[in-house]
PDB file of all heavy atoms in Angstrom:
ATOM      1  N   LEU O 281      18.180 -28.102  37.391  1.00 90.00           N
ATOM      2  CA  LEU O 281      17.115 -29.020  36.974  1.00 90.00           C
ATOM      3  C   LEU O 281      16.585 -29.818  38.156  1.00 90.00           C
ATOM      4  O   LEU O 281      15.368 -30.000  38.307  1.00 90.00           O
ATOM      5  CB  LEU O 281      17.634 -29.956  35.885  1.00 90.00           C
ATOM      6  CG  LEU O 281      16.613 -30.928  35.274  1.00 90.00           C
ATOM      7  CD1 LEU O 281      15.390 -30.177  34.744  1.00 90.00           C
ATOM      8  CD2 LEU O 281      17.250 -31.744  34.161  1.00 90.00           C
ATOM      9  N   CYS O 284      14.295 -27.576  40.094  1.00 89.00           N
ATOM     10  CA  CYS O 284      12.989 -27.425  39.441  1.00 89.00           C
ATOM     11  C   CYS O 284      12.130 -28.673  39.616  1.00 89.00           C
ATOM     12  O   CYS O 284      10.928 -28.578  39.889  1.00 89.00           O
ATOM     13  CB  CYS O 284      13.182 -27.144  37.955  1.00 89.00           C
ATOM     14  SG  CYS O 284      13.863 -25.515  37.582  1.00 89.00           S
ATOM     15  N   MET O 285      12.743 -29.841  39.479  1.00 90.00           N
ATOM     16  CA  MET O 285      11.977 -31.091  39.566  1.00 90.00           C
ATOM     17  C   MET O 285      11.424 -31.336  40.967  1.00 90.00           C
ATOM     18  O   MET O 285      10.467 -32.098  41.132  1.00 90.00           O
ATOM     19  CB  MET O 285      12.856 -32.263  39.122  1.00 90.00           C
ATOM     20  CG  MET O 285      13.222 -32.222  37.642  1.00 90.00           C
ATOM     21  SD  MET O 285      14.393 -33.520  37.147  1.00 90.00           S
ATOM     22  CE  MET O 285      13.328 -34.956  37.148  1.00 90.00           C
ATOM     23  N   ALA O 286      12.010 -30.690  41.966  1.00 92.00           N
ATOM     24  CA  ALA O 286      11.518 -30.837  43.335  1.00 92.00           C
ATOM     25  C   ALA O 286      10.456 -29.796  43.685  1.00 92.00           C
ATOM     26  O   ALA O 286       9.942 -29.792  44.804  1.00 92.00           O
ATOM     27  CB  ALA O 286      12.683 -30.719  44.320  1.00 92.00           C
ATOM     28  N   SER O 287      10.102 -28.934  42.738  1.00 90.00           N
ATOM     29  CA  SER O 287       9.173 -27.846  43.023  1.00 90.00           C
ATOM     30  C   SER O 287       7.737 -28.209  42.658  1.00 90.00           C
ATOM     31  O   SER O 287       7.484 -29.101  41.835  1.00 90.00           O
ATOM     32  CB  SER O 287       9.585 -26.587  42.236  1.00 90.00           C
ATOM     33  OG  SER O 287       9.343 -26.763  40.851  1.00 90.00           O
ATOM     34  N   GLU O 288       6.799 -27.487  43.270  1.00 88.00           N
ATOM     35  CA  GLU O 288       5.387 -27.634  42.897  1.00 88.00           C
ATOM     36  C   GLU O 288       5.145 -27.153  41.479  1.00 88.00           C
ATOM     37  O   GLU O 288       4.271 -27.670  40.770  1.00 88.00           O
ATOM     38  CB  GLU O 288       4.514 -26.837  43.879  1.00 88.00           C
ATOM     39  CG  GLU O 288       4.526 -27.361  45.298  1.00 88.00           C
ATOM     40  CD  GLU O 288       3.671 -26.513  46.223  1.00 88.00           C
ATOM     41  OE1 GLU O 288       2.838 -25.733  45.709  1.00 88.00           O
ATOM     42  OE2 GLU O 288       3.831 -26.623  47.449  1.00 88.00           O
ATOM     43  N   ASP O 289       5.915 -26.149  41.049  1.00 87.00           N
ATOM     44  CA  ASP O 289       5.730 -25.612  39.695  1.00 87.00           C
ATOM     45  C   ASP O 289       6.061 -26.649  38.623  1.00 87.00           C
ATOM     46  O   ASP O 289       5.467 -26.637  37.537  1.00 87.00           O
ATOM     47  CB  ASP O 289       6.608 -24.369  39.496  1.00 87.00           C
ATOM     48  CG  ASP O 289       6.015 -23.129  40.146  1.00 87.00           C
ATOM     49  OD1 ASP O 289       4.853 -23.197  40.595  1.00 87.00           O
ATOM     50  OD2 ASP O 289       6.714 -22.106  40.209  1.00 87.00           O
ATOM     51  N   TRP O 290       7.017 -27.539  38.912  1.00 87.00           N
ATOM     52  CA  TRP O 290       7.326 -28.627  37.965  1.00 87.00           C
ATOM     53  C   TRP O 290       6.082 -29.472  37.723  1.00 87.00           C
ATOM     54  O   TRP O 290       5.710 -29.760  36.580  1.00 87.00           O
ATOM     55  CB  TRP O 290       8.465 -29.471  38.522  1.00 87.00           C
ATOM     56  CG  TRP O 290       8.676 -30.812  37.863  1.00 87.00           C
ATOM     57  CD1 TRP O 290       8.092 -31.986  38.203  1.00 87.00           C
ATOM     58  CD2 TRP O 290       9.539 -31.091  36.753  1.00 87.00           C
ATOM     59  NE1 TRP O 290       8.547 -33.005  37.382  1.00 87.00           N
ATOM     60  CE2 TRP O 290       9.431 -32.476  36.480  1.00 87.00           C
ATOM     61  CE3 TRP O 290      10.401 -30.316  35.976  1.00 87.00           C
ATOM     62  CZ2 TRP O 290      10.147 -33.108  35.463  1.00 87.00           C
ATOM     63  CZ3 TRP O 290      11.118 -30.947  34.966  1.00 87.00           C
ATOM     64  CH2 TRP O 290      10.990 -32.321  34.714  1.00 87.00           C
ATOM     65  N   ARG O 291       5.404 -29.876  38.813  1.00 90.00           N
ATOM     66  CA  ARG O 291       4.193 -30.687  38.682  1.00 90.00           C
ATOM     67  C   ARG O 291       3.089 -29.909  37.977  1.00 90.00           C
ATOM     68  O   ARG O 291       2.380 -30.456  37.132  1.00 90.00           O
ATOM     69  CB  ARG O 291       3.739 -31.129  40.080  1.00 90.00           C
ATOM     70  CG  ARG O 291       2.436 -31.933  40.105  1.00 90.00           C
ATOM     71  CD  ARG O 291       2.473 -33.161  39.238  1.00 90.00           C
ATOM     72  NE  ARG O 291       3.589 -34.053  39.562  1.00 90.00           N
ATOM     73  CZ  ARG O 291       3.891 -35.146  38.859  1.00 90.00           C
ATOM     74  NH1 ARG O 291       3.156 -35.478  37.804  1.00 90.00           N
ATOM     75  NH2 ARG O 291       4.923 -35.900  39.207  1.00 90.00           N
ATOM     76  N   GLU O 292       2.983 -28.613  38.296  1.00 84.00           N
ATOM     77  CA  GLU O 292       1.964 -27.787  37.644  1.00 84.00           C
ATOM     78  C   GLU O 292       2.221 -27.694  36.147  1.00 84.00           C
ATOM     79  O   GLU O 292       1.293 -27.749  35.338  1.00 84.00           O
ATOM     80  CB  GLU O 292       1.947 -26.389  38.265  1.00 84.00           C
ATOM     81  CG  GLU O 292       1.126 -25.350  37.519  1.00 84.00           C
ATOM     82  CD  GLU O 292      -0.348 -25.675  37.397  1.00 84.00           C
ATOM     83  OE1 GLU O 292      -0.839 -26.580  38.136  1.00 84.00           O
ATOM     84  OE2 GLU O 292      -1.029 -25.039  36.565  1.00 84.00           O
ATOM     85  N   GLY O 293       3.477 -27.551  35.759  1.00 88.00           N
ATOM     86  CA  GLY O 293       3.803 -27.492  34.335  1.00 88.00           C
ATOM     87  C   GLY O 293       3.431 -28.774  33.612  1.00 88.00           C
ATOM     88  O   GLY O 293       2.901 -28.738  32.494  1.00 88.00           O
ATOM     89  N   LEU O 294       3.689 -29.915  34.243  1.00 88.00           N
ATOM     90  CA  LEU O 294       3.337 -31.198  33.637  1.00 88.00           C
ATOM     91  C   LEU O 294       1.827 -31.352  33.502  1.00 88.00           C
ATOM     92  O   LEU O 294       1.315 -31.807  32.465  1.00 88.00           O
ATOM     93  CB  LEU O 294       3.905 -32.342  34.481  1.00 88.00           C
ATOM     94  CG  LEU O 294       5.438 -32.460  34.569  1.00 88.00           C
ATOM     95  CD1 LEU O 294       5.812 -33.599  35.509  1.00 88.00           C
ATOM     96  CD2 LEU O 294       6.041 -32.689  33.195  1.00 88.00           C
ATOM     97  N   GLU O 295       1.093 -30.989  34.575  1.00 88.00           N
ATOM     98  CA  GLU O 295      -0.364 -31.124  34.552  1.00 88.00           C
ATOM     99  C   GLU O 295      -0.981 -30.181  33.511  1.00 88.00           C
ATOM    100  O   GLU O 295      -1.906 -30.556  32.787  1.00 88.00           O
ATOM    101  CB  GLU O 295      -0.941 -30.818  35.933  1.00 88.00           C
ATOM    102  CG  GLU O 295      -0.566 -31.829  37.006  1.00 88.00           C
ATOM    103  CD  GLU O 295      -1.136 -33.208  36.720  1.00 88.00           C
ATOM    104  OE1 GLU O 295      -2.195 -33.297  36.072  1.00 88.00           O
ATOM    105  OE2 GLU O 295      -0.496 -34.210  37.126  1.00 88.00           O
ATOM    106  N   TYR O 305       1.665 -20.889  37.738  1.00 87.00           N
ATOM    107  CA  TYR O 305       2.826 -21.080  38.594  1.00 87.00           C
ATOM    108  C   TYR O 305       2.747 -20.227  39.847  1.00 87.00           C
ATOM    109  O   TYR O 305       2.269 -19.093  39.819  1.00 87.00           O
ATOM    110  CB  TYR O 305       4.106 -20.750  37.814  1.00 87.00           C
ATOM    111  CG  TYR O 305       4.378 -21.660  36.660  1.00 87.00           C
ATOM    112  CD1 TYR O 305       4.450 -21.190  35.356  1.00 87.00           C
ATOM    113  CD2 TYR O 305       4.562 -23.025  36.876  1.00 87.00           C
ATOM    114  CE1 TYR O 305       4.703 -22.035  34.289  1.00 87.00           C
ATOM    115  CE2 TYR O 305       4.816 -23.892  35.809  1.00 87.00           C
ATOM    116  CZ  TYR O 305       4.881 -23.387  34.523  1.00 87.00           C
ATOM    117  OH  TYR O 305       5.122 -24.224  33.480  1.00 87.00           O
TER     118      TYR O 305
END
Side-chain angles (χ1 to χ4, degrees):
L281 184 55
C284 290
M285 293 174 74
S287 70
E288 294 179 17
D289 282 351
W290 165 271
R291 177 56 55 186
E292 169 61 15
L294 295 177
E295 293 296 331
Y305 295 119

